[in-house]
Amino acid sequence: MWHIIDCEEGAQLIFGFSRDVTKEEFAEAIKENKLGTVLNSVDVKKGDTFFIKSGTVHAIGSGILIAEIQQNSN
């Protein structure tokens, strides 16, 4: 889980895909340096919380301070 402690205006994070993507499309997007075209960018604000299921592609954008709460997966 990610909790946004603070962020700059216009800050974004990556959370999942913007649409259904096949393994082949994903590999092609990486190869062509166009990964951003298939990833879901989310605008964030202070106080937002995101539950990120295991196996979900995710990344923190610039200008974001987060608390990442984890539990072991055993």
Side-chain angles (χ1 to χ4, degrees):
M1 182 175 75
W2 280 349
H3 179 76
I4 310 300
I5 295 174
D6 201 5
C7 64
E8 296 175 2
E9 189 169 331
Q12 295 184 321
L13 55 80
I14 302 297
F15 181 43
F17 293 100
S18 59
R19 59 181 174 81
D20 289 338
V21 178
T22 65
K23 289 179 184 180
E24 294 78 18
E25 287 177 296
F26 186 62
E28 189 66 22
I30 292 170
K31 180 180 173 186
E32 294 182 2
N33 198 27
K34 295 182 180 181
L35 196 53
T37 64
V38 297
L39 296 176
N40 184 42
S41 295
V42 179
D43 293 330
V44 298
K45 63 184 185 317
K46 183 177 180 175
D48 286 347
T49 302
F50 298 87
F51 178 73
I52 302 167
K53 290 184 179 183
S54 177
T56 302
V57 62
H58 57 285
I60 306 164
S62 63
I64 302 174
L65 176 63
I66 68 162
E68 183 171 9
I69 295 85
Q70 299 179 352
Q71 69 182 48
N72 61 24
S73 59
N74 298 21

